Amino acid sequence: MTSLVQFELTDSSFDRLMNLHGTRLKQHAVRLTRNRDNAEDLYQETAIKIFLNIGKLTDEKLFVNWALKIMQRAFLDKKRY
């Protein structure tokens, strides 16, 4: 039986993940908002939520899908109000 070992988070690993996948997240934000200023706001909000919740991520390989889901939820929350 194997167990999932949570990867260790450091400030540099957060920076590395955001540098590695930031372009994809920004592009997705533009597609969602269809406005560069709103996309930047959505990206920043998503980055904050990622930073605050990254301890919940169990595998670094899941980062992109997890981050895109956070962004999608943030976008939908803003649309509701």
Side-chain angles (χ1 to χ4, degrees), residues 2 7 18 23 34 37 60 63 69 77 79:
T2 61
F7 72 96
M18 292 304 287
T23 301
R34 298 181 183 169
D37 291 333
E60 188 174 339
F63 177 79
K69 189 176 287 188
D77 285 346
K79 270 188 98 165

Side-chain angles (χ1 to χ4, degrees), residues 2 7 9 15 17 19 32-34 36 39-40 58-59 65 67-68 71 73-75 79:
T2 61
F7 72 96
L9 173 69
D15 290 340
L17 287 169
N19 286 333
L32 288 172
T33 63
R34 298 181 183 169
R36 292 221 179 259
E40 186 61 31
T58 57
D59 188 344
N65 289 335
L68 290 172
M71 182 177 282
R73 288 181 181 155
F75 174 72
K79 270 188 98 165

Side-chain angles (χ1 to χ4, degrees), residues 15-78:
D15 290 340
R16 183 179 52 78
L17 287 169
M18 292 304 287
N19 286 333
L20 187 61
H21 303 292
T23 301
R24 183 170 177 189
L25 292 171
K26 287 178 182 179
Q27 289 170 344
H28 190 65
V30 170
R31 279 193 297 272
L32 288 172
T33 63
R34 298 181 183 169
N35 176 293
R36 292 221 179 259
D37 291 333
N38 292 341
E40 186 61 31
D41 291 344
L42 179 60
Y43 174 80
Q44 291 297 324
E45 182 179 344
T46 301
I48 291 167
K49 288 181 179 189
I50 289 169
F51 182 78
L52 294 174
N53 293 292
I54 202 159
K56 297 176 184 177
L57 186 63
T58 57
D59 188 344
E60 188 174 339
K61 294 174 191 168
L62 303 173
F63 177 79
V64 173
N65 289 335
W66 179 72
L68 290 172
K69 189 176 287 188
I70 290 172
M71 182 177 282
Q72 183 74 30
R73 288 181 181 155
F75 174 72
L76 291 174
D77 285 346
K78 279 196 182 266

